[in-house]
Amino acid sequence: VRRGKPGCLPLIIFNGVGQSIEVLEPLIEAMAGVEVITYDVPGTGLSDTPALPWRYRRHAELAAALLEHLGHDRVAVMGISWGGPLAQQMTRLYPQRVRKLILTVSPPGNLMVPGRPGVYWRMAHVKRFTDRNYMRSIASHIYGGTIRTDDSALDEHIERLRPPSRRGYLYQALTMWGWTSLGWLWRLKQPTLI
C-alpha cells in the first residue's frame, strides 16, 4: 500500500502474468497523491504458490478480502494484461466496491490474439523472467514505449523483474484458460477507461 491524499479514491492494481509488484514502481511513482494497493498474486513475487490453480473468481475473492482488511468500501480497479480479466471479474462480483474500472492491454478472455502470433509465444515463455539475454532479445517485440529504444529503460525493467515460480506461472496461465467476459462485459455499469 502506498498511501495517498485523504479523500482520494484508492486504486487497486492487478498486474500482468508472472509480474511482481516491483515492476509497477514507476507507474505508482507517477501517480502522486493516489493511494495505490497492489500485491503479488499467488505464485508470483514473494507470494506462495497455491496447491492447485485458481480461477479468476478466487483471485477476485482474495482481492475483496484484502480491501475489507484495509477498510476500503469503494475503489478504482486497474487491470494490466492478465490482471485485466481479474479487474473485470472483480467488477462483476463486487459492483458495489468498484467505482471505476481501468483496463490496460486487457483481453476479454483467452480469445485474445496479438497483432503478430509470434509476439504471443515470445511473451508467454517464462524464460523472459529468468534469462536476461532472452529478455533483451524479445523486449522490442513485446513492449512499446521507451523500452523498445532506450537500453537504460530496459535495464531498469529487467532489474525490477522477480521471476515467478514455474508452477505459479503455469497456474496463472491456466487461470485464463476458458475464461471470457464476452457474455457479460457490456453489463458493467462503472465508468471504464480502456
Side-chain angles (χ1 to χ4, degrees), residues 41-149:
V41 298
T44 65
L46 297 176
S47 290
D48 293 333
T49 301
L52 296 171
W54 287 14
R55 301 302 295 162
Y56 274 120
R57 174 180 285 277
R58 181 120 186 241
H59 283 285
E61 290 167 352
L62 174 66
L66 174 62
L67 293 175
E68 182 76 27
H69 176 76
L70 294 173
H72 293 301
D73 295 329
R74 307 262 301 172
V75 295
V77 175
M78 178 181 194
I80 302 169
S81 190
W82 179 94
L86 176 51
Q88 295 166 53
Q89 186 72 60
M90 174 92 179
T91 304
R92 181 181 189 206
L93 292 176
Y94 303 98
Q96 72 285 1
R97 274 199 187 279
V98 179
R99 189 161 153 218
K100 296 179 181 182
L101 176 61
I102 304 164
L103 300 174
T104 307
V105 294
S106 174
N110 65 350
L111 301 173
M112 172 186 79
V113 178
R116 286 182 230 129
V119 171
Y120 176 79
W121 295 113
R122 289 179 181 115
M123 182 181 67
H125 203 296
V126 72
K127 190 175 178 181
R128 72 182 167 126
F129 298 101
T130 60
D131 184 333
R132 290 173 181 241
N133 290 329
Y134 179 74
M135 172 56 97
R136 287 186 191 290
S137 74
I138 66 165
S140 65
H141 299 282
I142 67 173
Y143 296 118
T146 57
I147 286 183
R148 283 186 164 191
T149 58

Side-chain angles (χ1 to χ4, degrees), residues 12-21 38-66 82-83 86 162-176:
I12 186 167
I13 302 175
F14 301 126
N15 212 345
V17 66
Q19 301 287 335
S20 63
I21 59 177
T38 192
Y39 59 96
D40 290 329
V41 298
T44 65
L46 297 176
S47 290
D48 293 333
T49 301
L52 296 171
W54 287 14
R55 301 302 295 162
Y56 274 120
R57 174 180 285 277
R58 181 120 186 241
H59 283 285
E61 290 167 352
L62 174 66
L66 174 62
W82 179 94
L86 176 51
R162 184 180 295 238
S165 72
R166 289 189 183 274
R167 192 168 46 110
Y169 191 76
L170 172 64
Y171 283 5
Q172 272 194 283
L174 290 174
T175 297
M176 188 168 246

